[in-house]
Amino acid sequence: MQQLIKVWLNICLWRAAPQDLPASGMLLSLSLACYALVSMLLSLGSYGLAGAVQLALLDLGLLVVFVLSLLYLQGKTARINQTLSALAGTGSLLGVFALPLIWWAEPGQQPDQVPVLLTLFWLLLLVWNLLVMAHIIRHALSSSVAVGLGVSLLYVLVSMQLIAALFPQQVV
């Protein structure tokens, strides 16, 4: 497990790529389970247990459908396991980094009352997440960083809109 976390961290730091992960069904299952668990932990305070589980499953489903569709349309289906494992694994790792930020923020806090430092850390984490996704997608598609960044940004914006529409934030 320690070796796996090291590879995910190296992907987050652009020192490794999705192809450095084995194309293993077991690794894919573990990565997706970690992703769902961290996603649930991140949303627990705002949505309660039932809502957090539903949101985590939706988030996971969006990621899987996105990667399957993208790689199928590009004729690169052999890269699905490694790409999904990389996106889910790095997403889990970055989500763990976000947990202290969630705990720092107070539930129901108005946007103008959020500490500037917390906002800065969220912004840095968001940009880092986008760059990591762009790095993984560019390798999956054998394309440029610009294409990877554009696809990543599109995915994040669509998934955020869909999640916001289906799960209006209610503090429990």
Side-chain angles (χ1 to χ4, degrees), residues 29-165:
S29 298
L30 177 65
S31 301
L32 294 175
C34 287
Y35 184 81
L37 176 65
V38 171
S39 181
M40 185 194 74
L41 290 173
L42 286 168
S43 54
L44 229 132
S46 297
Y47 297 97
L49 182 59
V53 168
Q54 291 172 345
L55 195 140
L57 291 175
L58 174 64
D59 188 20
L60 180 65
L62 288 172
L63 183 67
V64 169
V65 167
F66 165 71
V67 170
L68 290 174
S69 301
L70 182 68
L71 294 179
Y72 178 77
L73 290 172
Q74 293 297 311
K76 299 184 185 300
T77 55
R79 299 177 183 186
I80 288 172
N81 274 13
Q82 291 167 305
T83 303
L84 262 176
S85 295
L87 286 169
T90 58
S92 301
L93 195 56
L94 292 172
V96 168
F97 293 150
L99 281 172
L101 300 178
I102 293 287
W103 296 327
W104 183 4
E106 295 178 30
Q109 198 170 32
Q110 297 298 317
D112 61 342
Q113 296 174 338
V114 175
V116 174
L117 193 57
L118 177 60
T119 304
L120 179 63
F121 284 144
W122 268 119
L123 183 60
L124 289 173
L125 197 57
L126 175 66
V127 169
W128 187 14
N129 190 35
L130 279 171
L131 291 174
V132 169
M133 285 185 74
H135 172 66
I136 293 167
I137 290 169
R138 84 169 164 134
H139 280 280
L141 299 178
S142 299
S143 65
S144 68
V145 174
V147 168
L149 188 57
V151 171
S152 300
L153 191 55
L154 180 64
Y155 168 75
V156 168
L157 291 174
V158 169
S159 66
M160 285 174 61
Q161 288 298 313
L162 188 57
I163 288 171

